[in-house]
Short mmCIF file of all heavy atoms in Angstrom, two decimals:
data_model
loop_
_atom_site.label_atom_id
_atom_site.label_comp_id
_atom_site.label_asym_id
_atom_site.label_seq_id
_atom_site.Cartn_x
_atom_site.Cartn_y
_atom_site.Cartn_z
N PHE A 1 145.23 98.98 -67.31
CA PHE A 1 145.52 97.56 -67.13
C PHE A 1 146.96 97.32 -66.68
O PHE A 1 147.23 96.33 -66.00
CB PHE A 1 145.21 96.79 -68.43
CG PHE A 1 143.78 96.39 -68.55
CD1 PHE A 1 142.81 97.31 -68.94
CD2 PHE A 1 143.37 95.10 -68.25
CE1 PHE A 1 141.47 96.96 -69.03
CE2 PHE A 1 142.04 94.73 -68.34
CZ PHE A 1 141.08 95.66 -68.73
N VAL A 2 147.87 98.22 -67.02
CA VAL A 2 149.23 98.12 -66.48
C VAL A 2 149.22 98.32 -64.98
O VAL A 2 149.91 97.62 -64.22
CB VAL A 2 150.16 99.16 -67.15
CG1 VAL A 2 151.49 99.27 -66.39
CG2 VAL A 2 150.43 98.79 -68.60
N MET A 3 148.40 99.25 -64.53
CA MET A 3 148.32 99.57 -63.10
C MET A 3 147.59 98.50 -62.30
O MET A 3 147.92 98.26 -61.13
CB MET A 3 147.63 100.93 -62.92
CG MET A 3 148.37 102.10 -63.54
SD MET A 3 147.42 103.65 -63.49
CE MET A 3 147.24 103.86 -61.72
N LEU A 4 146.61 97.86 -62.90
CA LEU A 4 145.75 96.94 -62.16
C LEU A 4 146.12 95.47 -62.34
O LEU A 4 145.61 94.62 -61.60
CB LEU A 4 144.29 97.15 -62.56
CG LEU A 4 143.69 98.53 -62.28
CD1 LEU A 4 142.25 98.59 -62.77
CD2 LEU A 4 143.78 98.86 -60.80
N THR A 5 146.96 95.16 -63.33
CA THR A 5 147.30 93.77 -63.61
C THR A 5 148.82 93.63 -63.71
O THR A 5 149.57 94.58 -63.47
CB THR A 5 146.66 93.27 -64.92
OG1 THR A 5 147.31 93.92 -66.02
CG2 THR A 5 145.17 93.60 -64.95
N ASP A 6 149.27 92.44 -64.11
CA ASP A 6 150.70 92.19 -64.28
C ASP A 6 151.17 92.48 -65.71
O ASP A 6 152.30 92.13 -66.08
CB ASP A 6 151.01 90.72 -63.95
CG ASP A 6 150.75 90.40 -62.48
OD1 ASP A 6 150.91 91.32 -61.65
OD2 ASP A 6 150.38 89.25 -62.18
N ALA A 7 150.34 93.10 -66.50
CA ALA A 7 150.70 93.39 -67.89
C ALA A 7 151.87 94.37 -67.94
O ALA A 7 152.01 95.25 -67.09
CB ALA A 7 149.51 93.97 -68.63
N SER A 8 152.73 94.22 -68.96
CA SER A 8 153.85 95.13 -69.14
C SER A 8 153.38 96.38 -69.88
O SER A 8 152.25 96.46 -70.37
CB SER A 8 154.97 94.44 -69.94
OG SER A 8 154.59 94.32 -71.30
N TRP A 9 154.31 97.36 -70.00
CA TRP A 9 153.97 98.60 -70.68
C TRP A 9 153.70 98.37 -72.17
O TRP A 9 153.15 99.25 -72.85
CB TRP A 9 155.09 99.62 -70.48
CG TRP A 9 155.14 100.14 -69.09
CD1 TRP A 9 155.96 99.70 -68.08
CD2 TRP A 9 154.34 101.17 -68.52
NE1 TRP A 9 155.71 100.40 -66.92
CE2 TRP A 9 154.72 101.32 -67.16
CE3 TRP A 9 153.33 102.00 -69.02
CZ2 TRP A 9 154.13 102.23 -66.30
CZ3 TRP A 9 152.74 102.92 -68.17
CH2 TRP A 9 153.13 103.04 -66.84
N THR A 10 154.07 97.20 -72.68
CA THR A 10 153.80 96.87 -74.08
C THR A 10 152.30 96.96 -74.40
O THR A 10 151.90 97.25 -75.53
CB THR A 10 154.30 95.44 -74.40
OG1 THR A 10 155.65 95.32 -74.01
CG2 THR A 10 154.15 95.12 -75.88
N ILE A 11 151.50 96.72 -73.37
CA ILE A 11 150.06 96.67 -73.57
C ILE A 11 149.50 98.02 -74.01
O ILE A 11 148.47 98.08 -74.68
CB ILE A 11 149.35 96.19 -72.27
CG1 ILE A 11 147.96 95.68 -72.57
CG2 ILE A 11 149.27 97.30 -71.25
CD1 ILE A 11 147.93 94.40 -73.34
N ILE A 12 150.18 99.10 -73.68
CA ILE A 12 149.70 100.43 -74.06
C ILE A 12 149.78 100.61 -75.57
O ILE A 12 148.81 101.02 -76.22
CB ILE A 12 150.50 101.53 -73.34
CG1 ILE A 12 150.34 101.38 -71.82
CG2 ILE A 12 150.05 102.91 -73.81
CD1 ILE A 12 151.18 102.36 -71.03
N LEU A 13 150.95 100.27 -76.13
CA LEU A 13 151.10 100.37 -77.59
C LEU A 13 150.15 99.41 -78.29
O LEU A 13 149.50 99.77 -79.29
CB LEU A 13 152.54 100.06 -77.98
CG LEU A 13 152.83 100.02 -79.50
CD1 LEU A 13 152.50 101.37 -80.14
CD2 LEU A 13 154.28 99.65 -79.75
N LEU A 14 150.04 98.19 -77.77
CA LEU A 14 149.15 97.22 -78.39
C LEU A 14 147.70 97.68 -78.31
O LEU A 14 146.91 97.43 -79.22
CB LEU A 14 149.32 95.85 -77.72
CG LEU A 14 148.57 94.68 -78.38
CD1 LEU A 14 148.97 94.54 -79.84
CD2 LEU A 14 148.84 93.38 -77.62
N SER A 15 147.34 98.37 -77.24
CA SER A 15 145.98 98.89 -77.10
C SER A 15 145.66 99.89 -78.20
O SER A 15 144.55 99.88 -78.76
CB SER A 15 145.81 99.56 -75.72
OG SER A 15 145.94 98.62 -74.67
N VAL A 16 146.62 100.74 -78.53
CA VAL A 16 146.41 101.73 -79.59
C VAL A 16 146.28 101.03 -80.94
O VAL A 16 145.42 101.38 -81.77
CB VAL A 16 147.56 102.76 -79.61
CG1 VAL A 16 147.39 103.73 -80.79
CG2 VAL A 16 147.61 103.53 -78.30
N VAL A 17 147.13 100.01 -81.17
CA VAL A 17 147.07 99.26 -82.43
C VAL A 17 145.71 98.55 -82.55
O VAL A 17 145.10 98.53 -83.61
CB VAL A 17 148.22 98.25 -82.52
CG1 VAL A 17 148.07 97.36 -83.76
CG2 VAL A 17 149.56 98.97 -82.55
N MET A 18 145.25 97.97 -81.43
CA MET A 18 143.95 97.29 -81.43
C MET A 18 142.82 98.28 -81.68
O MET A 18 141.83 97.97 -82.34
CB MET A 18 143.73 96.57 -80.11
CG MET A 18 144.68 95.40 -79.87
SD MET A 18 144.46 94.10 -81.09
CE MET A 18 142.82 93.55 -80.66
N SER A 19 142.98 99.49 -81.15
CA SER A 19 141.98 100.54 -81.39
C SER A 19 141.88 100.85 -82.88
O SER A 19 140.78 100.96 -83.43
CB SER A 19 142.38 101.81 -80.62
OG SER A 19 141.54 102.90 -80.96
N PHE A 20 143.04 100.97 -83.53
CA PHE A 20 143.05 101.25 -84.96
C PHE A 20 142.45 100.09 -85.75
O PHE A 20 141.69 100.31 -86.71
CB PHE A 20 144.48 101.51 -85.43
CG PHE A 20 144.59 101.80 -86.89
CD1 PHE A 20 144.09 102.99 -87.41
CD2 PHE A 20 145.18 100.90 -87.76
CE1 PHE A 20 144.17 103.27 -88.77
CE2 PHE A 20 145.28 101.17 -89.11
CZ PHE A 20 144.77 102.36 -89.62
N ALA A 21 142.74 98.84 -85.33
CA ALA A 21 142.16 97.67 -86.01
C ALA A 21 140.65 97.69 -85.88
O ALA A 21 139.93 97.38 -86.84
CB ALA A 21 142.73 96.39 -85.40
N GLY A 22 140.15 98.07 -84.70
CA GLY A 22 138.71 98.18 -84.51
C GLY A 22 138.11 99.26 -85.40
O GLY A 22 137.03 99.08 -85.99
N GLN A 23 138.80 100.39 -85.51
CA GLN A 23 138.32 101.47 -86.37
C GLN A 23 138.28 101.03 -87.83
O GLN A 23 137.38 101.41 -88.58
CB GLN A 23 139.21 102.70 -86.21
CG GLN A 23 139.06 103.38 -84.85
CD GLN A 23 140.12 104.43 -84.61
OE1 GLN A 23 141.21 104.38 -85.19
NE2 GLN A 23 139.83 105.38 -83.73
N MET A 24 139.24 100.20 -88.24
CA MET A 24 139.24 99.70 -89.61
C MET A 24 138.08 98.72 -89.83
O MET A 24 137.53 98.64 -90.93
CB MET A 24 140.57 99.02 -89.92
CG MET A 24 141.74 99.98 -90.05
SD MET A 24 141.51 101.23 -91.36
CE MET A 24 140.90 102.65 -90.41
N GLY A 25 137.72 97.97 -88.78
CA GLY A 25 136.53 97.12 -88.88
C GLY A 25 135.29 97.96 -89.09
O GLY A 25 134.41 97.62 -89.90
N ASP A 26 135.22 99.08 -88.40
CA ASP A 26 134.10 100.01 -88.55
C ASP A 26 134.09 100.61 -89.97
O ASP A 26 133.03 100.72 -90.61
CB ASP A 26 134.24 101.13 -87.51
CG ASP A 26 133.04 102.06 -87.48
OD1 ASP A 26 131.94 101.62 -87.86
OD2 ASP A 26 133.21 103.22 -87.08
N ILE A 27 135.26 100.98 -90.45
CA ILE A 27 135.37 101.54 -91.80
C ILE A 27 134.95 100.52 -92.85
O ILE A 27 134.26 100.85 -93.83
CB ILE A 27 136.81 102.02 -92.07
CG1 ILE A 27 137.11 103.30 -91.28
CG2 ILE A 27 137.05 102.24 -93.55
CD1 ILE A 27 136.36 104.52 -91.76
#
């Protein structure tokens, strides 16, 4: 999404955090 949109590199870290939040929903 950094490459294809105007999003900053912050989105990479936030993506990992969101991944963990999703895993906690699964847990």
Side-chain angles (χ1 to χ4, degrees):
F1 275 79
V2 168
M3 297 173 62
L4 298 179
T5 70
D6 295 329
S8 73
W9 289 97
T10 308
I11 200 69
I12 299 175
L13 176 59
L14 187 56
S15 295
V16 176
V17 174
M18 293 296 294
S19 173
F20 180 69
Q23 290 169 336
M24 289 301 97
D26 186 26
I27 288 291

